[in-house]
């Protein structure tokens, strides 16, 4: 097995290579003046099971193309098998038809990667895991929620209230609650499919005087967390934190969230930002070790 350090996740790839002792293959990547991508593998991959670590947060399309080019280059150089480790999988939220005339984008992405040479894929906290059934190759999503919850227990926040901003994220709050040992609950969220505007509705929880942590898979514009934080404040929470696996933090999301009374935003290195305080390296390394021995 060899680990190819995708340009979007080179640092994470390095950490994984160090933890697993698996040999790494660097990648030369550049962008031509007209915007086209170029990649070159710097190392032999013949007869190897090649694992490419490459996240696909913004700029999503370039990073997906880089991933496809690396997979194709690996196969062209006679790799035996190509597994893509994609910590943040772009387009996973367009996993069904919401409005007439749309595309199921994640299905197209999976087909493109397959055509390029990807034989299997591992991602982290995919928005809706059931979309993996649409992939033309084995694909799985692993969870970083225990790592995030442990970050809080180490801070001394055992028994904090784990809040999901909507019903769809309740499994995440439940998973965190299993480690934090406090209570968990969810709010009701509605998003306008045309404007993207989020409306988070109140529920009666007993968070008065407690530390509450909002857990979600993704923070994008921050609208969801801002809505949830406002409700937690109204309900008298003493301290509010926001934790997510993929902190995209688009535009002024971070400022809006902090202005809404959130003490700290904690994310992972699936996407590089100021919130990347928890590394996915131990989680992915464990998965690779199992893959290697299996
Ligand atoms: C969608 O349901 C996801 O789980 C997140 O809640 C959503 O992507 C967050 O988006 P935003 O930060 O723009 O509200």
């Amino acid at each position: 097995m060899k680990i190819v350090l995708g340009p979007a996740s080179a640092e994470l790839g390095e950490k994984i290579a160090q933890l697993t002792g698996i040999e790494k293959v660097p990648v030369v990547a550049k962008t031509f003046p007209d915007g086209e991508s170029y990649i070159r593998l710097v190392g032999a991959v013949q007869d190897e099971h090649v694992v490419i670590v490459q996240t696909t947060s913004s700029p999503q399309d370039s990073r997906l193309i880089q991933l496809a080019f690396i997979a194709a280059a690996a196969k062209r150089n006679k790799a035996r098998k190509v597994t893509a480790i994609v910590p943040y999988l772009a387009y996973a939220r367009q996993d069904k038809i919401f409005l007439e005339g749309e595309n199921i984008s994640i299905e197209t992405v999976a087909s493109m990667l397959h055509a390029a040479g990807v034989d299997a894929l591992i991602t982290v906290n995919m928005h809706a895991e059931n979309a993996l059934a649409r992939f033309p190759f084995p694909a799985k999503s692993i969870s970083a929620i225990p790592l995030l919850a442990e970050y809080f227990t180490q801070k001394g926040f055992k028994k904090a209230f784990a809040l999901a901003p909507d019903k769809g994220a309740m499994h995440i709050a439940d998973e965190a609650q299993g480690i934090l040992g406090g209570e968990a609950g969810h709010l009701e969220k509605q998003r306008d499919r045309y404007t993207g505007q989020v409306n988070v509705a109140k529920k009666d929880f007993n968070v008065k005087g407690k530390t509450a942590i909002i857990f979600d898979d993704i923070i994008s514009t921050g609208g969801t967390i801002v809505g949830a934080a406002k409700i937690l404040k109204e309900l008298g929470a003493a301290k509010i934190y926001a934790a997510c696996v993929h902190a995209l933090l688009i535009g002024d999301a971070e400022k809006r969230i902090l202005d809404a009374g959130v003490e700290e935003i904690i994310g992972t290195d699936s996407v590089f930002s100021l919130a990347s305080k928890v590394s996915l390296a131990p989680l992915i390394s464990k998965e690779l070790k199992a893959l290697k021995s299996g």
Side-chain angles (χ1 to χ4, degrees):
M1 187 178 272
K2 285 196 179 178
I3 297 180
V4 175
L5 309 177
S9 297
E11 207 175 300
L12 176 60
E14 288 270 7
K15 282 187 190 161
I16 297 168
Q18 251 173 33
L19 284 175
T20 55
I22 300 171
E23 194 182 326
K24 62 193 181 194
V25 176
V27 172
V28 172
K30 61 184 180 186
T31 307
F32 289 106
D34 63 355
E36 289 183 357
S37 300
Y38 167 95
I39 66 94
R40 183 170 68 85
L41 303 182
V42 189
V45 292
Q46 185 161 359
D47 300 327
E48 295 284 353
H49 179 177
V50 165
V51 173
I52 308 165
V53 185
Q54 167 87 344
T55 204
T56 55
S57 51
S58 182
Q60 297 87 337
D61 298 353
S62 315
R63 288 178 165 183
L64 279 168
I65 280 290
Q66 285 177 332
L67 176 58
F69 286 2
I70 294 168
K75 281 286 170 72
R76 187 173 285 275
N77 285 280
K78 303 193 169 58
R80 176 171 53 82
K81 183 176 177 183
V82 171
T83 297
I85 306 270
V86 190
Y88 174 72
L89 184 56
Y91 295 104
R93 283 173 289 177
Q94 184 68 29
D95 59 346
K96 57 183 171 217
I97 302 291
F98 297 97
L99 297 173
E100 199 184 340
E102 288 179 346
N103 179 36
I104 300 178
S105 309
I106 192 60
E107 193 174 62
T108 309
V109 165
S111 304
M112 280 167 46
L113 292 177
H114 189 46
V118 172
D119 301 304
L121 182 143
I122 299 171
T123 185
V124 183
N125 291 94
M126 185 170 173
H127 181 62
E129 278 186 37
N130 53 7
L132 293 172
R134 298 183 179 279
F135 284 36
F137 46 68
K140 72 190 270 199
S141 173
I142 55 178
S143 178
I145 299 302
L147 290 178
L148 289 170
E150 273 154 24
Y151 175 92
F152 287 101
T153 57
Q154 276 165 24
K155 273 191 143 207
F157 292 157
K158 235 181 157 12
K159 305 266 183 224
F161 190 97
L163 181 79
D166 57 23
K167 208 172 174 184
M170 192 58 209
H171 66 285
I172 292 178
D174 280 339
E175 208 180 342
Q177 182 202 25
I179 290 167
L180 294 166
E183 292 171 74
H186 70 86
L187 299 171
E188 295 293 345
K189 181 178 90 175
Q190 276 181 338
R191 188 184 290 275
D192 185 310
R193 286 275 154 218
Y194 293 94
T195 64
Q197 198 72 29
V198 164
N199 182 42
V200 185
K202 196 170 177 175
K203 282 236 181 168
D204 267 336
F205 298 121
N206 183 13
V207 288
K208 206 170 172 56
K210 293 183 188 168
T211 294
I213 308 166
I214 310 163
F215 282 93
D216 209 349
D217 55 344
I218 303 169
I219 299 178
S220 181
T221 63
T224 302
I225 299 291
V226 168
K230 279 186 183 154
I231 289 172
L232 284 173
K233 277 193 116 182
E234 281 170 27
L235 295 173
K239 284 201 167 173
I240 305 166
Y241 290 82
C244 72
V245 179
H246 314 293
L248 304 180
L249 298 173
I250 305 303
D252 63 351
E254 187 182 8
K255 183 177 179 312
R256 289 175 57 225
I257 292 170
L258 297 178
D259 286 352
V262 170
E263 306 277 333
E264 193 183 347
I265 308 165
I266 291 96
T268 75
D269 50 4
S270 81
V271 180
F272 191 74
S273 78
L274 289 173
S276 306
K277 295 167 190 168
V278 172
S279 179
L280 295 175
L283 178 73
I284 295 172
S285 299
K286 199 170 149 206
E287 195 64 28
L288 286 188
K289 280 180 186 164
L291 211 63
K292 212 176 154 198
S293 61

